[in-house]
Amino acid sequence: MSMTTQTASDLVIRVKEKFQQVFGDSATLTVRSPGRVNLIGEHTDYNHGFVLPAAVDKAIYMVVSRRSDDEVHLFSFDLDKAYTCSLNEIVPSGLHWPDYLLGVVQQLQALGLSPGGFNCVFGGEIPLGAGLSSSAALECATAFSLNELFGLGLDTLTMVKLSQKAENVFVGVQCGIMDQFASMFGRKGQVIRLDCQSLEYTYFPFRTEGIRIVLLDTQVKHSLASSEYNTRRQQCEAGVKLVQQHHPEVKSLRDVDAAMLSAYVAPADEVIYRRCSYVVEENARLLAATEDLLRGDIAAFGRQLYGSHEGLSKKYEVSCPELDFLVEKVRDREGVIGARMMGGGFGGCTINLVKDEAIDGLVEWITPLYRKAMDKELKAYIGQIEDGTSLV
Ligand code: ADP
Ligand code: MG
């Protein structure tokens, strides 16, 4: 398991060497920006609720230096590809990967700041598109690097917001703020309770001694994901409208309780009722889960994860057979403390809290079971909670 740190420092060395080789320049700055997990609080962000993310020990490493002209020279270590453009014309590259960096440059310019020309090499160990938010890590790495390199004087929250906006506006993905927030604000051994309504945040201790986060990647992404996501958002809004007829002060599901749902939504629409109940319950579950952490009761915390999965699967209906299979199988497995699907649903990973000594056995046991049942190869990522974006 100490392999993780070994690999990370190897990667930093190799990215630095690549920088030297590509740019022949050693006056550099190196930044580490991690991926994230969300322990509980799914589909709550757009309902002005709570999420409970943490940064992990898988990161992007970015090496940068100033240039004397106004050019931007980017090099992807993992793809072994370069991209160059001028600061005076920051437009989508047509290549996808440079856009995460260029989007941040554009947002800095939109704030009236003038980062200068720079050289950049970056490489990462965050699996792409697996739900660990490699994209947010890349944006946050860029914002942090340029802030340091040009002394822009930005505070962390501003960098979070502009990184999110880069993804929204430049890459064209309508993500919420959680991913960038967790990558930047993460702290070793702690989870962040983020209030998506006020952006207030609180750290809670996550005693990870002897416990790791294991992500089991279904390796599927069902095509329903984006249309169903939009439908869920509409159903939640429809629920809010029904309550508003009696409580005009209600603005989102954050202001709604179970009694209001039974009184005004249940009689009108059974499906909308189930969707809204899930969201209201998930917020309550998350708050209870943070109490569990304060008491140091990781077993109780784990049960909240199963509760979350149950709600996502049965009431919110965003799971799929692969995710349900993985959660059901681990439920009675020795050493597994909790599990649920993570992310928007219809594929992606389950997040599992597993005792160290049980991890190898778990992965060896479930991989062939999954193959047999689903005819697909499972992937497992093992991690723990680490600090957010920082200088190396
Ligand atoms: P995720 O869930 O990991 O955020 P996304 O699809 O949002 O998945 O972002 C993945 C994209 O981010 C990749 O397609 C690539 O363009 C970019 N990216 C992330 N990490 C790297 C990396 N190490 N090297 C190059 N591009 C990367
Ligand atoms: Mg992403």
Side-chain angles (χ1 to χ4, degrees):
M1 295 303 127
S2 59
M3 282 299 291
T4 326
T5 30
Q6 189 62 41
T7 320
S9 59
D10 270 8
L11 179 59
V12 180
I13 293 166
R14 284 185 289 140
V15 171
K16 281 186 174 168
E17 278 169 7
K18 182 54 90 175
F19 188 96
Q20 180 69 35
Q21 188 191 322
V22 174
F23 298 114
D25 174 358
S26 56
T28 62
L29 183 97
T30 305
V31 166
R32 169 190 173 275
S33 189
R36 65 100 189 93
V37 290
N38 184 28
L39 286 133
I40 192 166
E42 213 62 80
H43 286 278
T44 44
D45 56 347
Y46 54 83
N47 287 305
H48 297 203
F50 297 100
V51 291
L52 197 71
V56 292
D57 58 351
K58 303 197 177 351
I60 301 266
Y61 294 90
M62 183 172 281
V63 181
V64 291
S65 74
R66 288 181 182 230
R67 292 180 62 90
S68 51
D69 56 20
D70 60 3
E71 289 183 0
V72 175
H73 287 235
L74 308 177
F75 191 94
S76 161
F77 175 81
D78 301 309
L79 301 173
D80 198 32
K81 285 211 161 64
Y83 183 79
T84 301
C85 67
S86 163
L87 276 174
N88 306 317
E89 207 194 350
I90 300 291
V91 290
S93 61
L95 289 175
H96 201 57
W97 67 266
D99 294 351
Y100 295 90
L101 301 100
L102 298 178
V104 169
V105 174
Q106 190 201 45
Q107 286 306 317
L108 291 172
Q109 292 176 335
L111 286 175
L113 299 166
S114 325
F118 64 97
N119 294 328
C120 168
V121 178
F122 69 96
E125 55 189 352
I126 310 170
L128 307 187
L132 286 167
S133 219
S134 65
S135 60
L138 186 46
E139 292 143 10
C140 292
T142 310
F144 197 96
S145 297
L146 297 180
N147 186 49
E148 285 291 324
L149 194 62
F150 297 105
L152 302 177
L154 296 171
D155 61 73
T156 311
L157 187 58
T158 304
M159 291 193 278
V160 166
K161 286 181 175 170
L162 74 88
S163 295
Q164 180 206 9
K165 211 164 169 203
E167 184 145 347
N168 292 163
V169 174
F170 205 81
V171 182
V173 174
Q174 293 310 311
C175 58
I177 201 167
M178 169 173 71
D179 302 347
Q180 291 80 6
F181 200 97
S183 182
M184 283 276 196
F185 280 96
R187 275 191 197 161
K188 191 179 175 70
Q190 299 185 45
V191 294
I192 312 167
R193 186 184 71 200
L194 174 64
D195 179 338
C196 298
Q197 179 155 272
S198 63
L199 294 188
E200 275 171 3
Y201 61 100
T202 314
Y203 292 95
F204 288 86
F206 188 78
R207 304 196 202 293
T208 44
E209 302 91 56
I211 293 168
R212 303 250 173 181
I213 292 167
V214 178
L215 299 177
L216 297 177
D217 189 342
T218 60
Q219 301 262 56
V220 297
K221 192 85 220 168
H222 294 294
S223 55
L224 302 139
S226 64
S227 64
E228 290 295 312
Y229 175 85
N230 292 329
T231 309
R232 291 302 171 279
R233 288 189 75 138
Q234 285 158 11
Q235 289 167 332
C236 292
E237 280 166 28
V240 170
K241 287 219 176 73
L242 286 166
V243 177
Q244 275 171 341
Q245 291 170 6
H246 305 268
H247 292 273
E249 75 283 4
V250 160
K251 293 200 178 61
S252 70
L253 286 181
R254 177 67 178 276
D255 310 323
V256 169
D257 61 27
M260 292 172 178
L261 292 178
S262 337
Y264 313 123
V265 183
D269 191 312
E270 193 270 330
V271 173
I272 293 179
Y273 174 67
R274 268 192 295 131
R275 304 293 189 254
C276 296
S277 299
Y278 160 76
V279 173
V280 169
E281 286 164 9
E282 181 75 348
N283 278 318
R285 227 177 343 251
L286 185 150
L287 296 176
T290 56
E291 294 297 318
D292 296 337
L293 289 181
L294 287 177
R295 284 199 320 275
D297 190 347
I298 194 77
F301 184 85
R303 286 193 292 275
Q304 310 284 6
L305 266 59
Y306 288 122
S308 171
H309 186 80
E310 180 80 11
L312 286 160
S313 181
K314 304 273 164 56
K315 289 192 166 179
Y316 214 61
E317 294 182 284
V318 291
S319 187
C320 62
E322 293 86 352
L323 289 166
D324 287 343
F325 177 88
L326 292 175
V327 173
E328 272 319 304
K329 284 289 164 199
V330 303
R331 192 184 284 268
D332 299 318
R333 178 92 185 166
E334 184 77 33
V336 179
I337 295 153
R340 66 177 195 88
M341 54 159 275
M342 188 177 81
F346 304 101
C349 291
T350 63
I351 178 168
N352 304 262
L353 299 182
V354 188
K355 291 188 179 151
D356 271 346
E357 65 274 13
I359 294 174
D360 290 348
L362 170 71
V363 174
E364 278 163 30
W365 166 75
I366 202 160
T367 302
L369 285 183
Y370 184 73
R371 189 185 298 130
K372 188 144 181 261
M374 300 295 162
D375 196 24
K376 282 173 198 99
E377 273 315 295
L378 191 69
K379 266 197 187 167
Y381 313 113
I382 298 155
Q384 55 187 351
I385 295 177
E386 266 299 336
D387 283 332
T389 310
S390 64
L391 284 173
V392 173

